[in-house]
């Protein structure tokens, strides 16, 4: 646990009592503060009371008298589409609003660091797609070379729940737009921006607000080195804002769409090969084509970003290449479940939007595509350009018929995952890939994408093969 600094002897309100909220309350108490906990649900309040925390109704008049700060969980809206009542009350009372990410960055360093030979460092990863895989890959590479490391944030443990730093340790954080938008301190040593595609637009008041939330990771204090995917206009803009000249190697540009050889430092992938260039010459190359844990161009982008970040930490190209080969990938993200009768079964339940589904569809050949769920705003028409390798689609969930009408691909309306897997497996031939890439949220049939993916895995494992 990281004891929170700066609030000793003060009352600090904590809103939202899920995993990160309870960890925040514990870290505040460990730092000498008095946490006042609240959750809009009785279940959340019961969890806090069971953990020994006092509940304090933050929606009542005068609730913020004598309160030094409000720490809110990332999923609770503070601006769009409508501010939570407790957050609005805190702002009206002039009480600073922060989150656990802000508390982490103000509390991470400790006096014990004076005795370390090598200062601990923080790598923070944000973006629309690929940030979980990139974060996990950086963590895996560090583990493979014996570097002390912890992984936290939007993946793994809550940031305040990790252990205090040891000599030379690297903490790798995945940060969502919800987390970067509100944190009052954002000071990573290395910051990574993977890419940008429309998502969470209602929460951020549009695409501009969404990008602005991501951009804060690079503007609030500024990292020592930035790794920026430049294949979208927003990434190119961000890179331009950071660099003082083309040769500025505090910035590492990343691409999977073109060669980047004319900058101070760049990493790009073309035709399955990763290349690192510095000051106009190539210094390293890695063949990614047979790295089973990183299939497709979207994962090659993740590989480039992780490579760049770990090179910035001083690792050698061959160390990174060896770690790539042992990376198994993340659950529910282009995860190969089984091969039965020459048919490959891939679980990409995390592909909840059009952009991530498109990347999955581009990564495989001879696809039997399972898609659908609770469709998102804007529809799935953009996927028409990515259907060349789809032999047949099997649509499930609330939006099954909408997907069928919008895409015009050969399909079957299956409604349920059971029927989709049964039919796709029966019709698949050797060399085919049965791919779950829903392009939709899971909430019509499952509580989250993990449960959806787990159900797919269960059904695949039950197939005779």
């Amino acid at each position: 646990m990281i004891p929170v600094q700066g609030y000793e002897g003060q009352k600090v309100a904590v809103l939202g009592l899920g995993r990160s909220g309870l960890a925040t309350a514990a870290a505040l108490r460990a730092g000498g503060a008095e946490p006042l906990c609240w959750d809009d649900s009785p279940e959340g309040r019961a969890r806090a009371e069971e953990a020994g925390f006092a509940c304090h109704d933050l929606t009542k008049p005068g609730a913020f008298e004598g309160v030094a700060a409000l720490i809110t969980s990332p999923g609770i809206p503070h601006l769009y589409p409508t501010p939570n009542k407790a957050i609005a009350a805190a702002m009206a009372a002039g009480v600073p609003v922060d989150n656990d990410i802000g508390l982490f960055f103000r509390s991470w360093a400790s006096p014990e660091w004076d005795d370390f030979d090598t200062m601990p460092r923080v790598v923070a990863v944000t973006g629309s797609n690929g940030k979980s895989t990139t974060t996990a890959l950086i963590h895996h590479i560090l583990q493979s070379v014996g570097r002390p490391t912890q992984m936290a944030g939007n993946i793994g443990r809550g940031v305040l729940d990790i252990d205090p730093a040891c000599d030379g340790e690297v903490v790798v954080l995945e940060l969502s737009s919800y987390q970067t938008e509100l944190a009052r301190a954002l000071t990573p040593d290395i910051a990574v921006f993977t890419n940008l595609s429309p998502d969470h637009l209602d929460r951020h008041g549009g695409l501009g607000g969404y990008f602005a939330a991501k951009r804060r990771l690079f503007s609030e204090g500024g990292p020592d080195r930035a790794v920026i995917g430049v294949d979208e206009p927003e990434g190119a803009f961000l890179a331009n804002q950071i660099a003082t000249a083309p040769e500025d190697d505090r910035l590492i540009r990343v691409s999977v769409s073109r060669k980047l050889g004319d900058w101070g430092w760049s990493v790009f992938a073309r035709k399955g090969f990763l290349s690192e260039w510095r000051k106009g010459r190539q210094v390293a190359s890695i063949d990614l084509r047979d790295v089973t844990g990183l299939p497709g161009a979207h994962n090659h982008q993740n590989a480039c970003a992780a490579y760049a970040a770990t090179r910035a930490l001083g690792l050698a190209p061959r160390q990174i290449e060896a770690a790539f080969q042992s990376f198994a990938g993340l659950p529910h993200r282009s995860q190969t479940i089984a091969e039965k009768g020459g048919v490959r079964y891939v679980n990409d339940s995390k592909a909840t939007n059009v952009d991530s589904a498109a990347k999955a569809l581009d990564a495989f050949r001879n696809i039997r595509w399972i898609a659908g769920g609770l469709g998102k705003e804007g529809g799935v028409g953009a996927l028409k350009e990515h259907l060349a390798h789809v032999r047949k689609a099997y649509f499930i969930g609330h939006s099954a018929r909408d997907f069928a009408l919008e895409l015009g691909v050969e399909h079957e309306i299956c409604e349920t995952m059971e029927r989709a897997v049964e039919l796709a497996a029966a019709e698949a031939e050797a060399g085919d890939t049965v791919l779950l890439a829903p392009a939709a949220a899971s909430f019509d049939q499952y509580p989250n994408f993990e449960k959806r993916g787990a159900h797919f895995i269960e059904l695949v494992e039950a197939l005779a093969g």
Side-chain angles (χ1 to χ4, degrees):
M1 180 187 301
I2 307 298
V4 173
Q5 301 177 27
Y7 290 112
E8 186 175 357
Q10 299 182 72
K11 295 179 179 179
V12 178
V14 178
L15 179 63
L17 300 174
R19 180 190 59 144
S20 66
L22 290 177
T24 297
L28 283 163
R29 187 163 60 185
E34 179 185 351
L36 305 176
C37 299
W38 184 251
D39 194 291
D40 290 336
S41 73
E43 295 80 8
R45 298 195 294 271
R47 285 194 299 268
E49 289 171 348
E50 288 173 7
F53 296 108
C55 284
H56 181 77
D57 191 344
L58 299 179
T59 65
K60 289 185 176 180
F64 287 95
E65 291 180 8
V67 173
L70 169 64
I71 311 303
T72 180
S73 293
I76 301 173
H78 60 273
L79 186 56
Y80 303 116
T82 303
N84 177 275
K85 289 182 179 179
I87 296 178
M91 291 181 176
V95 173
V97 180
D98 203 348
N99 61 19
D100 61 335
I101 304 302
L103 295 184
F104 168 82
F105 278 110
R106 68 182 286 170
S107 306
W108 172 234
S110 67
E112 288 75 20
W113 289 23
D114 292 339
D115 298 324
F116 290 169
D117 292 327
T118 304
M119 287 297 100
R121 304 183 78 181
V122 175
V123 178
V125 181
T126 195
S128 295
N129 299 303
K131 58 184 179 294
S132 294
T133 297
T134 300
T135 301
L137 183 54
I138 294 169
H139 180 61
H140 172 78
I141 294 167
L142 292 168
Q143 285 182 315
S144 73
V145 298
R147 188 84 172 260
T149 179
Q150 298 183 76
M151 181 172 66
N154 204 44
I155 186 174
R157 302 162 70 182
V159 291
L160 294 171
D161 193 40
I162 67 173
D163 299 325
C166 65
D167 196 335
E169 185 165 35
V170 179
V171 169
V172 190
L173 303 179
E174 178 193 340
L175 299 182
S176 71
S177 58
Y178 291 4
Q179 293 170 310
T180 58
E181 184 179 37
L182 195 60
R184 297 173 75 92
L186 284 169
T187 53
D189 298 281
I190 299 171
V192 179
F193 177 87
T194 58
N195 51 57
L196 195 85
S197 62
D199 208 355
H200 309 303
L201 301 188
D202 58 337
R203 170 65 182 263
H204 298 294
L207 184 60
Y210 177 51
F211 175 54
K214 300 286 189 185
R215 185 179 180 275
R216 290 189 77 246
L217 183 61
F218 302 84
S219 60
E220 298 294 315
D224 293 336
R225 179 157 276 126
V227 176
I228 307 291
V230 296
D231 287 339
E232 292 84 31
E234 293 85 0
F237 171 82
L238 184 56
N240 182 266
Q241 290 282 294
I242 291 170
T244 58
E247 63 272 13
D248 187 351
D249 66 1
R250 295 174 306 154
L251 167 67
I252 307 176
R253 291 172 171 84
V254 166
S255 176
V256 289
S257 67
R258 64 191 187 279
K259 177 181 175 181
L260 296 175
D262 297 328
W263 306 98
W265 198 348
S266 62
V267 179
F268 59 90
R270 297 180 69 201
K271 299 181 179 179
F273 286 86
L274 179 153
S275 297
E276 177 189 3
W277 284 62
R278 299 192 72 170
K279 298 179 180 178
R281 67 183 184 89
Q282 182 174 318
V283 296
S285 177
I286 296 175
D287 186 351
L288 300 173
R289 293 173 298 175
D290 295 326
V291 180
T292 57
L294 295 166
H298 62 303
N299 274 309
H300 293 175
Q301 183 183 56
N302 301 332
C304 288
Y307 177 95
T310 48
R311 285 287 283 145
L313 289 168
L315 274 64
R318 294 304 165 220
Q319 291 177 302
I320 302 170
E321 181 177 13
F324 281 172
Q325 297 294 339
S326 60
F327 182 65
L330 285 181
H332 315 300
R333 296 163 178 85
S334 295
Q335 177 191 16
T336 296
I337 301 303
E339 290 195 15
K340 296 174 181 281
V343 178
R344 183 178 185 181
Y345 293 84
V346 176
N347 167 30
D348 204 337
S349 184
K350 182 64 167 62
T352 59
N353 59 36
V354 165
D355 190 66
S356 53
K359 289 178 169 62
L361 291 170
D362 290 343
F364 302 98
R365 300 292 182 269
N366 303 321
I367 297 170
R368 303 278 175 176
W369 178 34
I370 300 175
L374 188 61
K376 294 189 174 183
E377 183 180 351
V380 292
L383 288 175
K384 288 182 179 180
E385 300 176 3
H386 302 273
L387 301 178
H389 304 301
V390 175
R391 299 190 65 183
K392 187 174 180 179
Y394 307 81
F395 294 129
I396 65 174
H398 178 271
S399 299
R401 287 168 175 78
D402 293 337
F403 276 33
L405 289 171
E406 196 168 358
L407 293 172
V409 67
E410 183 182 349
H411 69 275
E412 194 88 25
I413 301 295
C414 297
E415 303 287 358
T416 67
M417 185 73 77
E418 289 90 344
R419 177 60 178 158
V421 171
E422 177 187 26
L423 191 57
E427 297 180 348
E429 302 171 354
D432 285 358
T433 295
V434 175
L435 170 67
L436 172 64
S442 62
F443 306 126
D444 57 333
Q445 295 178 315
Y446 302 92
N448 50 52
F449 73 83
E450 292 94 343
K451 291 291 186 183
R452 178 171 59 192
H455 190 204
F456 175 75
I457 294 171
E458 177 186 336
L459 294 168
V460 169
E461 290 178 343
L463 292 171

